[in-house]
Amino acid sequence: MQKLFLTFFYSGSVNKAPGTFGTIAALVPAFFILRYLGIGTLILLAILLFLVSIKIIDQYEKQTGKHDDKHIVIDEVVGVFLALAICGQSVFTFLLSFVLFRFFDITKPSIIGKIDKKTKGGLGVMLDDVLAGIFAGLFSAVIYGILLKFDLLWFDISIMEIF
């Protein structure tokens, strides 16, 4: 059950790019949550997963002796949920938030990298992805705003208009 949770239904069990696969898997429930339950539900779910995951990751690390195993992707799920809650209400911003989240999660610029290196245990595993998600959501909002301001966004559909 622990592995099912930490790998987000085994989406992180692939050998190449497990973080990307875990993030892609998270897009499916995120889309339906945004579409039918709203931003507030996605934020609350991200907070709940964040809090629960810290303890479960701490237990996993104690059992295995591995810190931030690459197959643990629940942190990516929380991060992308936050990015999408901040700025994922259209098809364009949904995809942009995903891309920027992966960028910030992989490159770990600034404080994201410092948190990743200095904070141990479940909190460390989760917190860098939370920050990556927040940065991705904010940057997506800024880019979207600039594109709208200069009338450079030719086509976009609200999540609410799909289905």
Side-chain angles (χ1 to χ4, degrees):
M1 195 67 153
Q2 183 185 57
K3 187 171 183 175
L4 179 74
F5 177 78
L6 293 176
T7 62
F8 195 63
F9 304 100
Y10 301 106
S11 63
S13 295
V14 297
N15 286 326
K16 294 204 179 203
T20 299
F21 278 97
T23 306
I24 290 169
L27 295 178
V28 175
F31 170 81
F32 286 104
I33 291 167
L34 281 171
R35 174 68 176 90
Y36 296 105
L37 302 173
I39 295 168
T41 303
L42 193 60
I43 291 170
L44 290 174
L45 184 56
I47 292 168
L48 177 65
L49 287 173
F50 173 77
L51 295 172
V52 169
S53 297
I54 292 170
K55 183 172 178 147
I56 294 173
I57 293 169
D58 283 340
Q59 291 170 347
Y60 175 81
E61 288 185 354
K62 191 174 183 181
Q63 292 167 355
T64 64
K66 294 181 187 177
H67 173 66
D68 204 0
D69 185 313
K70 68 179 184 173
H71 298 293
I72 295 174
V73 295
I74 196 68
D75 51 332
E76 276 82 5
V77 173
V78 170
V80 81
F81 277 10
L82 291 172
L84 295 170
I86 292 169
C87 189
Q89 290 71 48
S90 74
V91 172
F92 177 77
T93 58
F94 194 89
L95 295 174
L96 182 61
S97 293
F98 162 73
V99 170
L100 288 176
F101 171 72
R102 289 307 299 146
F103 171 78
F104 286 122
D105 187 34
I106 292 166
T107 62
K108 300 190 186 316
S110 185
I111 191 162
I112 299 169
K114 289 178 185 173
I115 294 290
D116 182 56
K117 288 179 184 148
K118 294 186 180 193
T119 310
K120 300 300 175 202
L123 182 61
V125 172
M126 296 301 297
L127 199 53
D128 68 307
D129 288 84
V130 165
L131 291 174
I134 292 169
F135 281 123
L138 293 175
F139 273 74
S140 294
V142 168
I143 290 168
Y144 189 66
I146 290 169
L147 291 174
L148 287 177
K149 172 78 173 160
F150 294 103
D151 200 27
L152 296 172
L153 195 61
W154 300 290
F155 181 74
D156 197 19
I157 301 171
S158 168
I159 294 288
M160 301 308 263
E161 293 176 28
I162 297 175
F163 298 122

